[in-house]
Amino acid sequence: MRFRHPDGSTVHLAYCTNVHPAETLDGVLAQLRDHCEPVRRRLGRDRLGIGLWLAKDAARALVTDPSALRGLRCELDRRGLEVVTLNGFPYEGFGAQEVKYRVYTPDWADPERLEHTTSLARLLAGLLPDDVTDGSISTLPLAWRTAYDEQRAQTARTALRTLAERLDALEELTGRSIRIALEPEPGCVVETTRDAIAPLTAVAHDRVGICVDTCHLATSFEDPHTALDDLTRAGVPVVKSQLSAALHAEHPHLPEVREALAAFAEPRFLHQTRTATPAGLRGTDDLGEALAGDTLPDAAPWRSHFHVPLHAAPAAPLTSTLPVLKSVLTRLVGGPHPLTRHLEVETYTWQALPPELRPRGRTQLADGIAAELTLARDLLTDLGLKELP
């Protein structure tokens, strides 16, 4: 979906396909048919943006076979879909029964992360619509925090500089400008937007910036205005933003609140949980750990890294951090000029929701994704952007 900002620029809105498990090219093509096109039809649009996730095997199949890439591009066109952004964070196995810590490997100290992201950039240059010259790829924020020493940090910085040089060469060759966005996430080396400033200024290249995920920002109790002001002062570009909402518990000391939270403690994804205390941010790596005894202080609200549907907050006594998303979006695109032009709804946890909240089949999932995009569209038009055909 495209929107015209009052300054005349185009802002793109997509939804991320990592909600649909697929490791192979055939699986990606099936996603377009079974999920993405039905969402587009529900929205009544001739064109729908998707934030494509290409796992390792799918990416390799495309990068080694130009005809396969042309075929994917044709399939996108045929189904009324377009791609301006990729989600390059998960490498493989995102649809597995247990993902947890695996999603953080390989990290940016591993040569395979550089090679995979280089491949994604080449693919995105070939998938961009004819009238679009700028693409974005979100990626993991360097590494999970453990086993990350100065030597690995230096290796990661070197890899990002190498990638930036390759992206320069790619633009010279194709005329397409691809940028990379580190996505701060709780528990990682770069957990907050503030954590991102030092490594990104060390890389010092305008092709490497930040992806502001509004669930992650909220989980870390970051103030949106302070975070974006800090990035602006540091000259760190917001390459992309993922529109998502975290799970919020206002009174985690109450038994009924803990019972409600326990329904979201599931075995597939990691749900880092945080609370703000007078001594600073405290947290656990997973929601189940937070609920175990007195591991996490419960005198103040908890937030958990669980991407809940934007349009449907959990039932009381829980809620979501949708107000944080709205505040971030106002700053990103509500001013005289957009701070980013790539927005991606990223609720990948539909099938990890408590059983009574999960969609039953493709039809309900498509309905839910369309409802999220409708909410995002309404927020954008309320900020003065005009939806384009």
Side-chain angles (χ1 to χ4, degrees):
M1 301 168 74
R2 299 187 185 192
F3 296 82
R4 181 74 67 207
H5 190 274
D7 76 347
S9 62
T10 300
V11 173
H12 295 266
L13 172 66
Y15 92 87
C16 186
T17 64
N18 64 354
V19 63
H20 312 304
E23 299 289 319
T24 65
L25 178 55
D26 285 345
V28 171
L29 295 172
Q31 286 178 352
L32 306 185
R33 178 194 67 225
D34 296 339
H35 299 288
C36 303
E37 185 176 8
V39 171
R40 177 183 64 77
R41 292 186 181 279
R42 278 165 174 74
L43 292 166
R45 307 299 301 160
D46 293 333
R47 174 173 53 190
L48 174 67
I50 58 172
L52 197 59
W53 174 57
L54 296 172
K56 172 196 68 173
D57 289 344
R60 286 180 180 172
L62 289 165
V63 84
T64 56
D65 185 355
S67 66
L69 181 60
R70 289 193 296 271
L72 175 57
R73 172 69 183 272
C74 289
E75 191 70 1
L76 288 166
D77 291 342
R78 186 167 78 88
R79 298 194 181 280
L81 306 169
E82 66 178 14
V83 176
V84 303
T85 188
L86 300 181
N87 186 329
F89 195 134
Y91 177 71
E92 62 180 339
F94 202 61
Q97 291 300 308
E98 182 177 335
V99 179
K100 298 291 184 180
Y101 294 95
R102 292 170 51 192
V103 75
Y104 305 107
T105 58
D107 63 33
W108 274 101
D110 186 326
E112 181 51 36
R113 176 60 65 171
L114 172 60
E115 296 312 313
H116 177 63
T117 310
T118 300
S119 294
L120 293 180
R122 292 171 178 161
L123 296 174
L124 182 55
L127 292 175
L128 287 176
D130 291 339
D131 61 345
V132 175
T133 58
D134 297 326
S136 63
I137 302 173
S138 47
T139 186
L140 83 163
L142 299 180
W144 186 251
R145 68 182 186 278
T146 56
Y148 191 77
D149 55 21
E150 181 51 39
Q151 181 178 356
R152 292 182 67 79
Q154 180 58 45
T155 301
R157 287 193 294 267
T158 299
L160 286 171
R161 292 190 190 102
T162 299
L163 178 65
E165 293 168 0
R166 292 178 180 179
L167 296 179
D168 284 341
L170 184 64
E171 183 174 14
E172 288 187 18
L173 180 66
T174 66
R176 305 297 180 90
S177 174
I178 308 298
R179 294 193 296 166
I180 301 300
L182 299 188
E183 180 186 332
E185 177 166 312
C188 292
V189 172
V190 174
E191 173 158 339
T192 66
T193 54
R194 182 166 295 176
D195 294 337
I197 291 173
L200 289 176
T201 52
V203 172
H205 201 294
D206 60 6
R207 292 202 188 273
V208 184
I210 194 170
C211 171
V212 175
D213 183 299
T214 57
C215 169
H216 301 174
L217 183 142
T219 300
S220 294
F221 287 87
E222 290 193 77
D223 175 72
H225 299 289
T226 301
L228 292 171
D229 286 346
D230 288 347
L231 292 173
T232 300
R233 280 193 295 269
V236 173
V238 181
V239 172
K240 171 180 178 177
S241 179
Q242 288 174 327
L243 306 182
S244 52
L247 190 63
H248 180 95
E250 186 69 17
H251 302 291
H253 65 285
L254 297 177
E256 60 269 29
V257 175
R258 287 184 173 249
E259 181 180 356
L261 283 170
F264 287 84
E266 53 83 37
R268 186 172 175 184
F269 297 111
L270 207 60
H271 301 297
Q272 302 92 314
T273 303
R274 299 288 185 267
T275 186
T277 75
L281 203 64
R282 293 279 302 278
T284 60
D285 283 356
D286 215 346
L287 178 56
E289 182 185 353
L291 291 169
D294 57 357
T295 306
L296 196 63
D298 60 7
W302 286 4
R303 289 177 179 173
S304 188
H305 173 218
F306 196 120
H307 290 223
V308 295
L310 303 186
H311 68 292
L318 304 179
T319 187
S320 82
T321 60
L322 183 62
V324 176
L325 183 158
K326 293 178 178 179
S327 181
V328 172
L329 193 61
T330 299
R331 283 294 307 273
L332 288 176
V333 300
H337 305 287
L339 300 182
T340 186
R341 292 183 290 112
H342 290 179
L343 305 172
E344 178 184 74
V345 171
E346 196 214 14
T347 304
Y348 59 82
T349 44
W350 283 94
Q351 298 303 334
L353 290 166
E356 67 276 11
L357 301 179
R358 293 175 195 166
R360 292 175 174 82
R362 295 175 185 169
T363 298
Q364 287 190 6
L365 178 58
D367 289 344
I369 294 170
E372 289 193 295
L373 286 167
T374 297
L375 181 147
R377 178 190 65 194
D378 292 346
L379 292 177
L380 291 172
T381 55
D382 287 348
L383 290 171
L385 283 73
K386 180 182 178 182
E387 187 176 6
L388 297 175

